Amino acid sequence: MKVVNLKQAILQAWKERWSDYQWAINMKKFFPKGATWDILNLAEALLEQAMIGPSPNPLILSYLKYAISSQMVSYSSVLTAISKFDDFSRDLCVQALLDIMDMFCDRLSCHGKAEECIGLCRSLLSALHWLLRCTAASAERLREGLEAGTPAAGEKQLAMCLQRLEKTLSSTKNRALLHIAKLEEASSWTAIEHSLLKLGEILASLSNPQLRSQAEQCGTLIRSIPTMLAVHSEQLHKTGYPTVHAVVLLEGTMNLTGETQPLVEQLMMVKRMQHIPTPLFVLEIWKACFVGLIESPEGTEELKWTAFTFLKIPQVLVKLKKYCHGDKDFTEDVNCAFEFLLKLTPLLDKADQRCNCDCTKFLLQECSKQGLLSEASVTNLMAKRAADREHAPQLKSGENANIQPNPGLILRAEPTVTNILKTMDADHSKSPEGLLGVLGHMLSGKSLDLLLAAAAATGKLKSFARKFINLNEFTTHGNEELAKAASVRALLFDISFLMLCHVAQTYGSEVILSESSSGAQVPFFETWMQTCMPEEGKILNPDHPCFWPDSTKVESLVALLNNSSEMKLVQMKWHEACLSISAAILEILNAWENGVLAFESIQKITDNIKGKVCSLAVCAVAWLVAHVRMLGLDEREKSLQMIRQLAGPLYSENTLQFYNERVVIMSSILEHMCADVLQQTATQIKFPSTGVDTMPYWNLLPPKRPIKEVLTDIFGKVLEKGWVDSRSIHIFDTLLHMGGVYWFCNNLIKELLKETRKEHTLRAVELLYSIFCLDMQQVTLVLLGHILPGLLTDSSKWHNLMDPPGTALAKLAVWCALSSYSSHKGQASSRQKKRHREDIEDYISLFPLDDMQPSKLMRLLSSNEEDANVLSSPTDRSMSSSLSASQLHTVNMRDPLNRVLANLFLLISSILGSRTAGPHTQFVQWFMEECVDCLEQGSRGSILQFMPFTTVSELVKVSAMSSPKVVLAITDLSLSLGRQVAAKAIAAL
């Protein structure tokens, strides 16, 4: 039907003066069913006829108002028609159009297809642009009127424009539709921003404060549209944040060598999820550092904590500064955090007492050096702390006077590490004696541990270890050397070997391993460490080929050990001796067992092994430990006695340089190696004591108690206390290791679901999240893939999901999912790689998948395919009930976490679509609310991309979720289909 006929019908109605309802009846007679009024452009035709003269035609306008009220025409067609009028000099026409907008601009809706809803978004954007242009024209006329002395007319029209603007923008639903339209049409949004700037310039010259403030308010609302998802209120009612505390404590206790970036990202994730204000966030980090310093066991652990606090954390804050917008603001926040910290006098006094120095002063100096504090702030804070320290409880004079403070030593050790790395780069063959002097100096006192802690905290430990591996490799061969050169080479081999063993035991063997490059020869130490060195969780086979080299070499070594009065050094191939010693020891043991050798001969042999180089003793004990595990109870005595013989130092004049220092390191290495086997065989061996517990966190579980009891008991204590300490972290780690991830996670979730007080459940969630950080990836797979589906699908367990534990579990699940998803693209941390654990489940067999069809996983898992809630337009109808944004982004579904998330959201979708309501439905609502609450602006590609698009229309039926902001938050607006789904859901609200 042509528009001309429509025009004729309108003109006929006007000539014959039909009333509005008469007009509507006749129009329906003229135009039989088929074409809709929007396709015929009825709204535009009516407006065109009504606006022909200088003033609008009231009769034709009444037809348009009737058409709007009776929903003959859609809101979007009316808005589009209005936005085409641009003769703003015709006051009466403009006012008539503003009155028409007034009818519906705060209650827009659309229940049609997704395309129609997107059409509404676009037309609203056009109408907003029209309103801004209209307001600018009115303001311009008012300005001209003021100059001419006739302001009244222009002022009335400007007030009307601003009123409609305010009415349109004050609706959150309208702003949400505009948000979608902005993403659909970026160029139109740019035009709106230009109009807004122009309007601001014109209004600046007006004197009426009421109109100006109204216009500013509208401008603020328009500017807030692109960021309407970014607004989060911060928690100001809390002062302690146990999660931040525990994450820092966990990192300081177990992962000093880890890179700073993953820690920064994890801390920022916690900050966002819990909406923590920056000053309190930084304060919590410092509090955790001081608590760690105070409770760290004496020795290596104490040095590690000192390095973590004074070297690593300032680096972490430098990176956090980039995340927290604005340099000046962050400096102010750090200053504010220190102001709060200075009020915690007992904590600082205790730390000062432990470290025997003013810790705050050292910390402030480091922060100043990194540009985290201004000079003025540092001076002010130091003066405040100095005044406080005058009243601190003083130690008895002389008690600590000659103990050098660790913070000062660590800060001095850091540049030394760089110097040593430079020294190690030099050609070893040119001045081996000079290099030996440097290494000897490193071995004295606690220098080695200081240097290693400083290197670990500043990320230099890997290159440190690499240099020592190269040195060790260099010393394996001696060509035509003299006695002196041979002893220097033996010492360099021994010291580098012992240092590397010590590093592997203290910081984990992955620090030593090089990135495997194919074809390159693996250095001797790496080979030995991977195949022969006992570690926690690594069971060695004493019959492994690595322990059985060439038999002729073994025989000559046995002869050398048995016949000579001491080890020869010249042209000795130490790496071959280390690899042959295991077979030699077996020969010697057999000879002793069969009475061929007497105990005196064994003593002489063990003295020979440990007399010159301690590394031979280390290699011998490494094999003996593996051998003892395989022996029966009555066969172990001689092997254990041999370990005992090798563990003690040799009291002789004829030892090589730095013997005592080397023996101290050897004893510590042997103690670590033998710990498990001695516990299993209930044997005691006295290692030469250094006066410090070398294994403070070993064997923490109480004997003869079921591990489930230990787990519930330790969690109860932690919950009561409100924060996790280092010792508890180690116990949790051991229990996770022993019980497995499913057992660990399941039992802790049971403890959470027992809590009935809201504040207790919230604290439990904060603590559980930080405990789960021990192995977040695996725990998340178990929690989302097994425990939650089990609770949600079994009606006998639904009562567990009541509030408050249900809300708490939803919160915990979202936190774990977000953390794992944001970090699983990165590398697992060293402590997670180190753990030898069972495979929880083969996720590929759990959730089968055909490579050719990314959505097959969804279809296999979708339980509500038949009664699927399909959207009404032709493009929507092809959309399977399980199509989600992740498939359009072609996310890799071979990844276990992606599969588990997709499965969970399908389950959520089917629960929302099912006809049974209960605590499980309420749980799903809490889960989704928490997802929305934790989302940050622009975090597309978050876990919500796994939610089927159809879930959106189900969710908005839940009263708590039926808000435009929620819809914007849960849909992926970067996709055209996502915008359609969101527009449809919001327009129907």
Side-chain angles (χ1 to χ4, degrees), residues 8-26:
Q8 284 170 351
I10 294 168
L11 287 171
Q12 189 182 343
W14 173 65
K15 281 176 191 165
E16 295 177 16
R17 298 291 187 271
W18 295 345
S19 64
D20 48 14
Y21 68 88
Q22 237 179 333
W23 167 80
I25 292 166
N26 289 337

Side-chain angles (χ1 to χ4, degrees), residues 138-164:
S138 308
E140 188 63 54
R141 287 185 59 202
L142 173 59
R143 188 166 71 178
E144 288 165 6
L146 284 170
E147 288 164 10
T150 54
E155 196 163 305
K156 182 188 173 194
Q157 189 163 312
L158 178 59
M160 278 181 80
C161 288
L162 287 170
Q163 199 183 340
R164 300 307 177 276

Side-chain angles (χ1 to χ4, degrees), residues 655-690:
T655 53
L656 292 176
Q657 248 179 312
F658 311 119
Y659 185 68
N660 293 340
E661 290 86 347
R662 284 182 292 134
V663 164
V664 169
I665 300 177
M666 178 185 82
S667 303
S668 153
I669 293 167
L670 297 186
E671 192 173 348
H672 276 85
M673 276 185 179
C674 301
D676 279 350
V677 93
L678 294 183
Q679 187 188 25
Q680 286 158 13
T681 55
T683 313
Q684 282 191 325
I685 291 182
K686 187 91 176 86
F687 292 95
S689 170
T690 53

Side-chain angles (χ1 to χ4, degrees), residues 268-523:
M268 279 310 293
M269 175 66 74
V270 173
K271 183 181 189 297
R272 274 197 303 269
M273 291 190 304
Q274 299 187 15
H275 313 311
I276 308 173
T278 309
L280 295 180
F281 174 63
V282 177
L283 170 68
E284 199 62 54
I285 293 174
W286 289 135
K287 271 163 62 178
C289 286
F290 278 108
V291 169
L293 271 177
I294 292 164
E295 64 173 24
S296 60
E298 203 181 328
T300 314
E301 290 300 318
E302 187 184 353
L303 294 178
K304 279 181 170 183
W305 258 108
T306 313
F308 181 73
T309 305
F310 293 94
L311 292 176
K312 192 168 184 177
I313 289 295
Q315 293 294 334
V316 167
L317 288 180
V318 169
K319 289 198 172 179
L320 283 171
K321 184 178 181 176
K322 290 172 189 164
Y323 286 82
C324 306
H325 308 297
D327 273 11
K328 191 163 181 250
D329 295 350
F330 191 72
T331 313
E332 194 43 55
D333 287 336
V334 172
N335 182 40
C336 188
F338 270 112
E339 292 278 3
F340 289 143
L341 184 66
L342 291 184
K343 292 190 172 75
L344 305 174
T345 316
L347 178 75
L348 300 183
D349 288 349
K350 191 120 172 101
D352 286 359
Q353 205 171 355
R354 174 73 201 266
C355 297
N356 193 29
C357 65
D358 183 351
C359 292
T360 321
K361 180 177 155 190
F362 278 115
L363 213 45
L364 288 168
Q365 284 168 348
E366 277 306 294
C367 288
S368 170
K369 213 185 289 178
Q370 300 291 350
L372 295 165
L373 281 172
S374 66
E375 284 297 322
S377 304
V378 172
T379 314
N380 173 35
L381 292 164
M382 277 188 184
K384 283 186 180 175
R385 179 64 190 142
D388 267 0
R389 285 198 66 185
E390 286 175 14
H391 308 294
Q394 294 298 318
L395 286 171
K396 294 187 194 92
S397 60
E399 191 177 322
N400 271 14
N402 50 3
I403 300 176
Q404 280 194 293
N406 282 337
L409 292 173
I410 279 285
L411 292 171
R412 286 210 297 280
E414 192 225 351
T416 313
V417 169
T418 317
N419 294 335
I420 288 172
L421 288 175
K422 282 181 194 160
T423 309
M424 298 286 289
D425 278 334
D427 183 353
H428 303 318
S429 58
K430 283 185 181 162
S431 62
E433 288 90 351
L435 184 58
L436 184 59
V438 172
L439 298 189
H441 187 66
M442 278 175 69
L443 294 181
S444 59
K446 56 182 180 184
S447 297
L448 180 60
D449 283 329
L450 270 168
L451 291 167
L452 293 179
T458 50
K460 294 180 185 138
L461 190 60
K462 213 166 174 61
S463 59
F464 206 76
R466 187 89 334 244
K467 300 275 193 292
F468 278 99
I469 284 180
N470 294 342
L471 172 65
N472 185 265
E473 199 65 9
F474 163 74
T475 56
T476 51
H477 302 286
N479 301 323
E480 300 175 13
E481 59 188 353
L482 300 169
K484 189 177 181 208
S487 69
V488 169
R489 187 171 65 83
L491 279 168
L492 288 175
F493 175 86
D494 200 37
I495 292 172
S496 55
F497 187 94
L498 294 172
M499 277 187 179
L500 288 164
C501 285
H502 183 61
V503 169
Q505 287 180 338
T506 315
Y507 294 99
S509 52
E510 54 285 332
V511 179
I512 306 287
L513 299 176
S514 54
E515 274 65 44
S516 53
S517 54
S518 55
Q521 192 185 348
V522 182

Side-chain angles (χ1 to χ4, degrees), residues 642-655:
M642 193 170 254
I643 293 178
R644 207 173 270 121
Q645 286 295 319
L646 288 165
L650 177 68
Y651 299 104
S652 154
E653 296 295 313
N654 202 10
T655 53

Side-chain angles (χ1 to χ4, degrees), residues 622-874:
W623 178 81
L624 281 165
V625 164
H627 180 65
V628 168
R629 281 180 191 277
M630 304 297 164
L631 298 177
L633 201 60
D634 51 343
E635 300 169 319
R636 292 172 177 164
E637 191 192 338
K638 284 191 164 54
S639 298
L640 288 169
Q641 207 168 345
M642 193 170 254
I643 293 178
R644 207 173 270 121
Q645 286 295 319
L646 288 165
L650 177 68
Y651 299 104
S652 154
E653 296 295 313
N654 202 10
T655 53
L656 292 176
Q657 248 179 312
F658 311 119
Y659 185 68
N660 293 340
E661 290 86 347
R662 284 182 292 134
V663 164
V664 169
I665 300 177
M666 178 185 82
S667 303
S668 153
I669 293 167
L670 297 186
E671 192 173 348
H672 276 85
M673 276 185 179
C674 301
D676 279 350
V677 93
L678 294 183
Q679 187 188 25
Q680 286 158 13
T681 55
T683 313
Q684 282 191 325
I685 291 182
K686 187 91 176 86
F687 292 95
S689 170
T690 53
V692 172
D693 183 0
T694 51
M695 300 177 66
Y697 291 122
W698 187 75
N699 197 16
L700 292 173
L701 296 189
K704 296 180 184 173
R705 269 191 80 188
I707 55 172
K708 187 175 176 205
E709 263 182 45
V710 178
L711 183 67
T712 50
D713 186 41
I714 191 81
F715 182 66
K717 282 178 183 166
V718 161
L719 192 57
E720 192 182 332
K721 203 162 46 168
W723 54 282
V724 189
D725 57 289
S726 328
R727 190 170 181 279
S728 309
I729 285 175
H730 278 272
I731 294 176
F732 281 124
D733 192 49
T734 311
L735 290 168
L736 172 59
H737 191 50
M738 287 176 101
V741 184
Y742 180 81
W743 173 88
F744 184 77
C745 185
N746 193 33
N747 282 308
L748 284 173
I749 295 296
K750 281 180 187 169
E751 291 304 303
L752 171 65
L753 295 176
K754 284 180 197 168
E755 290 298 332
T756 51
R757 291 180 59 181
K758 192 169 183 178
E759 59 272 30
H760 279 190
T761 55
L762 193 63
R763 188 195 293 175
V765 167
E766 293 183 328
L767 292 168
L768 278 175
Y769 171 82
S770 49
I771 292 164
F772 287 169
C773 284
L774 283 167
D775 199 345
M776 184 57 84
Q777 292 290 328
Q778 297 296 318
V779 167
T780 305
L781 289 175
V782 163
L783 179 60
L784 305 184
H786 296 264
I787 294 171
L788 278 190
L791 287 167
L792 290 170
T793 51
D794 183 349
S795 55
S796 65
K797 292 179 182 168
W798 286 351
H799 66 279
N800 290 319
L801 298 173
M802 306 284 265
D803 195 30
T807 329
L809 179 58
K811 192 182 275 289
L812 179 64
V814 172
W815 286 5
C816 290
L818 283 172
S819 295
S820 289
Y821 191 73
S822 70
S823 68
H824 90 300
K825 300 176 190 81
Q827 294 300 305
S829 82
S830 57
R831 66 167 184 272
Q832 290 170 7
K833 278 189 230 162
K834 193 161 52 185
R835 180 175 296 110
H836 165 80
R837 56 168 170 258
E838 79 285 4
D839 232 335
I840 297 160
E841 185 77 65
D842 178 358
Y843 285 89
I844 295 205
S845 64
L846 181 65
F847 306 141
L849 177 73
D850 183 340
D851 267 355
M852 302 307 289
Q853 294 171 288
S855 63
K856 188 173 179 200
L857 160 72
M858 307 299 193
R859 290 208 295 280
L860 278 164
L861 295 173
S862 178
S863 51
N864 61 340
E865 194 70 61
E866 293 74 33
D867 60 351
N869 172 2
V870 283
L871 297 158
S872 52
S873 78

